[in-house]
Amino acid sequence: MVRLAYGGDYNPEQWPEEVWHEDVALMREAGVTMVSVGIFSWAMLEPREGEYDFGRLDRIIGLLHDNGIGVDLATPTVAPPAWFYRAHPEALPVSREGVRWEIGSRGAICHNSPAYREAAARITRALGERYGRHPAVVMWHVHNEYGVPVLECYCETCAAAFRVWLRERHTTLDALNEAWGTTFWGQTYHDWEEIRPPRATPTVGNPAQRLDYARFADDSALANFRRERDLLHELSPGVPVTTNFMVSLAQCDTIDYWAWAREVDLVTNDHYLVAEEERNHVNLSMTADLTRSVADGGPWLLLEHSTSGVNWQRRGIAKRPGEMARNSLAHVARGSEGAMFFQWRASRFGAEKFHSAMVPHAGTDSRVWREVTDLGARIGALEEIRGTRTVADAAMVWDWQSWRAQRLEWRPSDDLDARERAEAWYAALFDRHLTADFLPPGADPARLASYPLVVVPALYLAARETGERLRSYVEGGGTLVVSCFSGIVDEHDAVHPGPHPGALRDVLGLTVEEFQPLRGGQTVTLAGADGPPLKADVWAETVVPRGAETVWSYADGPAAGGPAVTRHRLGRGAAWYVSARLDAAGLGAVLAAACDDAGLAPRGDLPRDVEVVRRSGAGGIYLFALNHTGADAKVPLEGTGVELPGGERVTGHLAVPAGGVRVVRLED
């Protein structure tokens, strides 16, 4: 991309051709620089197998190009045509319960279907040959939101492909039987053909098999992405190829984005607020930080979000005045090279006709449209930030593989949720005004060592090497904070030999003798030598220090009298362990103590929910101040700055109006 991206999904096939010219005129008025085209257009582009009709798409792309609007051209492989399913009903996915889904929505795909793979490659090749060198095409967009609404298929084609995948992963049946622990419940396999997908069973199935099947399904979809990407690299050299992720933990839980990020030329993400959450801007910031981290700290792009309410949540709550701009610029502050929406013009029909859009049903005489044009001008005025990187203060370790494993059946408590803990610990960092990067468990030690503080909110599945890496980090002077039920199992969901917490015993300097899940509604109190007591619910543990010191103890509950929060001095650093599910105040207290160890000074001069983020690059340091409150705020400013846009000089402090955003380029 040569400019910051501003625009949205454009679906002109839903409108008569005379509307296209009105659309393009409005796009120019709104400052649109790029639109995504063709995502759901397979049935129109290939109305019959092998017969193509590119006339409409030629005219659309030409019209956009003539008006200086770049095209993010999609391969429409998320929605095969009806003729395809009529010829290949076996390409429809089968649920765990054996039900074959039908056409009529989107994403009804068996990713191991040979017919689907052949048809997807054919339409991708046809698009690449026709538009691969078209000057309007600035990016390719493969498929759409892999993993949503369904990723795993349990048909016989997938069963055969799964056995091939298992042979490649485990090599021998002996190795597979050992990895899956098949001596339990008499599940030992003596022939590869005996192995089936983990379909519905009378009671809980083999968790290691379930985990491998989730990996297999993820890999199957990724193989299809690679196939289309490689065709486009061949036919459209130099044009980046991506697919839109859904990194938010509230939106997709089937894709390992650490793996997928290595395969795209540019990380892009779709994000939708959980509208009913009172502080949904915290989830937005977490998602943006996680997306940037998946992109290894480099540039990424917000490819979809909403101008106002969405139709698929229980309540389509409209955004308040100024909220759309604040949401958009929060993503930009945390690394996005622009802000795109779903969609350009609101649909009159179909499942998403009540989804907000850049051009709403109310038309251009509306608040949403006025905010869209204002935001376009504002994004255009931030062009100089392109290529700069967001500055982080701390890091969190997150792993989609571990989340998958922890969500399987028969864990000690259904109430202890990895996503909830990750979001709670992130909120604690956010409330201390700390910007966080995310790291995979296998992060390079040098990268790990660059952060004074690393938080591990939920790492049920942890390889032995992960524990060794974290131990080296602490010994080298880092401060580590680990939350409960972490380090328990290896990559096959087998408990590490010896006492819990397995892979993390040494770095934490303790063992866990017994998990102590709490009854519904039960709470426990934690008492410390200094400060007020802390409150927890859902979870407690019987902790035995093996070098760690006790900082807070259980005052009551099943682990009464025992350690609850510990600190292990190791080398030049310290490792904290929190064995209970603390509430927000408790997390804040522990985090404050850990920040003292890490040398991260409190930022008490910033009000709660006033967000301050920096992007840095060759052109300087850019400070984004976002006020999510209903009151005007002042942000202390070291030195002076120049506001973007406008060029107003600011010194001493930055006044940020209620609900507003200000961006300044800092000067010495």
Side-chain angles (χ1 to χ4, degrees), residues 351-651:
E352 294 186 293
K353 57 183 170 287
F354 297 119
H355 193 296
S356 60
M358 298 176 79
V359 181
H361 291 299
T364 55
D365 186 15
S366 63
R367 174 182 65 83
V368 166
W369 173 252
R370 288 186 285 273
E371 291 192 10
V372 162
T373 57
D374 289 347
L375 179 60
R378 194 156 190 188
I379 294 284
L382 294 177
E383 192 65 33
E384 66 183 87
I385 72 164
R386 283 185 64 242
T388 60
R389 292 190 168 216
T390 301
V391 180
D393 305 294
M396 291 182 68
V397 173
W398 175 254
D399 185 33
W400 278 276
Q401 300 277 354
S402 178
W403 188 24
R404 284 175 183 166
Q406 187 172 337
R407 286 186 299 117
L408 292 172
E409 301 95 337
W410 288 10
R411 299 322 186 208
S413 173
D414 289 348
D415 298 326
L416 186 64
D417 179 65
R419 170 189 157 191
E420 185 278 332
R421 282 294 81 186
E423 291 176 341
W425 278 100
Y426 181 89
L429 289 166
F430 184 93
D431 285 343
R432 286 188 67 83
H433 303 285
L434 297 174
T435 301
D437 280 342
F438 286 80
L439 299 172
D444 177 76
R447 177 80 182 279
L448 199 62
S450 67
Y451 300 96
L453 175 70
V454 172
V455 177
V456 181
L459 196 62
Y460 162 76
L461 184 155
R464 180 176 50 81
E465 294 77 15
T466 299
E468 293 170 354
R469 242 183 229 105
L470 293 175
R471 180 185 176 99
S472 296
Y473 164 75
V474 174
E475 288 176 333
T479 300
L480 178 70
V481 181
V482 177
S483 189
C484 57
F485 203 46
S486 292
I488 308 302
V489 300
D490 66 14
E491 63 272 28
H492 303 300
D493 198 42
V495 172
H496 285 286
H500 306 310
L504 304 182
R505 274 194 308 261
D506 291 346
V507 65
L508 296 175
L510 54 81
T511 58
V512 173
E513 187 174 294
E514 192 171 13
F515 303 132
Q516 299 283 2
L518 304 182
R519 292 179 172 83
Q522 182 182 3
T523 62
V524 294
T525 302
L526 281 61
D530 301 310
L534 311 182
K535 290 291 183 182
D537 64 0
V538 170
W539 189 266
E541 295 175 353
T542 302
V543 173
V544 180
R546 311 283 183 184
E549 60 182 296
T550 300
V551 184
W552 275 275
S553 299
Y554 289 106
D556 53 28
V565 177
T566 62
R567 178 174 182 257
H568 186 212
R569 300 173 191 269
L570 191 64
R572 294 186 288 113
W576 291 75
Y577 183 59
V578 181
S579 68
R581 196 181 86 156
L582 293 176
D583 63 12
L587 293 178
V590 173
L591 193 59
C595 284
D596 286 345
D597 278 352
L600 288 170
R603 295 173 180 171
D605 48 4
L606 290 175
R608 189 173 192 251
D609 288 328
V610 173
E611 184 178 351
V612 176
V613 185
R614 289 172 170 79
R615 287 182 62 154
S616 177
I621 297 174
Y622 300 86
L623 182 144
F624 288 71
L626 305 98
N627 186 351
H628 300 285
T629 77
D632 295 346
K634 291 184 178 181
V635 171
L637 207 61
E638 295 179 7
T640 60
V642 175
E643 184 165 15
L644 303 176
E648 177 188 344
R649 294 187 71 81
V650 234
T651 306

Side-chain angles (χ1 to χ4, degrees), residues 80-251:
W83 61 255
F84 170 79
Y85 287 123
R86 183 181 181 188
H88 302 285
E90 77 284 355
L92 287 163
V94 174
S95 73
R96 248 189 114 209
E97 293 72 29
V99 175
R100 190 177 294 278
W101 278 293
E102 267 292 354
I103 65 171
S105 60
R106 62 169 188 170
I109 294 163
C110 167
H111 281 283
N112 287 290
S113 164
Y116 170 75
R117 288 179 169 180
E118 180 183 344
R122 188 171 61 241
I123 187 66
T124 298
R125 179 171 286 282
L127 286 164
E129 288 174 345
R130 191 168 190 91
Y131 303 109
R133 298 180 186 272
H134 196 295
V137 178
V138 297
M139 187 166 73
W140 286 95
H141 178 319
V142 169
H143 204 268
N144 185 70
E145 296 178 346
Y146 280 99
V148 177
V150 59
L151 186 70
E152 294 181 2
C153 170
Y154 293 83
C155 70
E156 285 301 318
T157 300
C158 287
F162 183 44
R163 288 189 285 269
V164 172
W165 184 90
L166 290 172
R167 281 176 180 264
E168 293 172 352
R169 183 177 180 87
H170 296 285
T171 308
T172 68
L173 274 172
D174 285 345
L176 178 138
N177 282 315
E178 182 178 355
W180 284 7
T182 56
T183 53
F184 184 81
W185 281 359
Q187 297 172 0
T188 302
Y189 296 103
H190 298 287
D191 190 295
W192 290 102
E193 294 302 312
E194 296 169 357
I195 302 172
R196 313 282 287 167
R199 297 177 177 129
T201 50
T203 186
V204 173
N206 187 320
Q209 183 182 11
R210 292 281 303 278
L211 195 53
D212 262 358
Y213 202 77
R215 291 166 175 150
F216 155 75
D218 194 352
D219 285 354
S220 299
L222 184 54
N224 285 344
F225 168 77
R226 288 194 193 104
R227 190 173 293 107
E228 294 187 42
R229 177 204 63 193
D230 292 348
L231 281 169
L232 295 171
H233 279 166
E234 171 196 339
L235 299 168
S236 190
V239 179
V241 180
T242 189
T243 186
N244 45 340
F245 292 173
M246 296 194 77
V247 168
S248 171
L249 306 186
Q251 288 167 238

